[in-house]
Amino acid sequence: MEAASELPDDGARRFIEQFALLLTDGGVPRMAARVFACVLADDTGKLTAGELAERLCVSPAAISGAARYLLQVDLLVKAREPGARRDHYQLADDVWYEAFGHKDTLLRRWEEGLIEGIELVGPDTPAGRRLEETREFFAFLRSEMPLMMERWREHQEAAGGSRAGFEPVPPGSIARRDS
């Protein structure tokens, strides 16, 4: 039988709601933002769907949809302890590195879509020039991302490693999803 985790105190609940609003302002769906903030604020960094529903005072269905989104964007991973009957959602090791490290595939797809758009509207039109500038921006981001991620690793190592209790993922070891 799994032990029930403690409900967050008032400070943690306030953080969860405030940080969720910031994530929502950045485009994360509201319930997904609340679920992520709740897991982030938990000392264990992992909670079951039932625990999340209880802490956030929402239905399990709301947790399911939010968790599915967070799994797709690499902010949470789904796991199960040996002998446990329920899955739990936990932060990916080095969550921000993992989430941002997968963006190159998305940026490449956006570049390809923009190339097609440029061909469709014409490269010498005002729209074509805007699309080209946008494509160049995404290409720039994609080329800079590996350098930025390497600098993050160097920063972590200089600071004594990850402070979140996770083992860092070696640079370049992020699984690519180029399907």
Side-chain angles (χ1 to χ4, degrees):
M1 182 97 164
E2 296 175 50
S5 63
E6 291 182 30
L7 292 175
D9 63 22
D10 287 342
R13 280 196 303 269
R14 199 168 23 258
F15 165 78
I16 290 165
E17 295 306 327
Q18 289 173 351
F19 194 62
L21 285 174
L22 293 172
L23 292 171
T24 301
D25 287 347
V28 177
R30 179 147 171 70
M31 185 52 62
R34 292 182 72 214
V35 166
F36 179 76
C38 191
V39 175
L40 185 65
D42 185 76
D43 283 342
T44 66
K46 61 183 178 182
L47 295 166
T48 66
E51 291 168 333
L52 286 161
E54 180 181 2
R55 289 174 182 215
L56 298 174
C57 300
V58 298
S59 72
I63 298 300
S64 177
R68 187 171 32 259
Y69 171 84
L70 292 166
L71 292 167
Q72 289 172 346
V73 297
D74 299 314
L75 290 178
L76 290 183
V77 294
K78 190 177 190 178
R80 184 178 291 192
E81 297 291 331
R85 295 181 349 157
R86 291 194 173 102
D87 293 334
H88 63 263
Y89 299 100
Q90 69 184 47
L91 298 173
D93 292 354
D94 210 354
V95 62
W96 298 113
Y97 182 90
E98 290 295 322
F100 281 87
H102 292 299
K103 297 301 179 213
D104 66 325
T105 301
L106 180 61
L107 292 170
R108 184 179 306 113
R109 288 176 50 208
W110 288 353
E111 283 179 68
E112 292 167 359
L114 288 161
I115 290 169
E116 184 178 325
I118 293 165
E119 292 170 1
L120 293 171
V121 301
D124 297 323
T125 65
R129 288 189 288 277
R130 276 193 309 277
L131 294 177
E132 175 56 25
E133 183 177 356
T134 303
R135 187 209 58 78
E136 287 176 10
F137 177 74
F138 290 141
F140 176 80
L141 283 180
R142 195 166 53 83
S143 71
E144 291 294 312
M145 191 70 69
L147 302 170
M148 185 174 58
M149 300 309 262
E150 181 60 30
R151 287 197 333 261
W152 169 246
R153 286 288 179 222
E154 291 168 1
H155 171 79
Q156 277 190 310
E157 288 173 15
S162 174
R163 291 177 288 286
F166 299 121
E167 289 296 317
V169 176
S173 67
I174 294 175
R176 300 288 181 218
R177 291 183 266 166
D178 295 328
S179 48

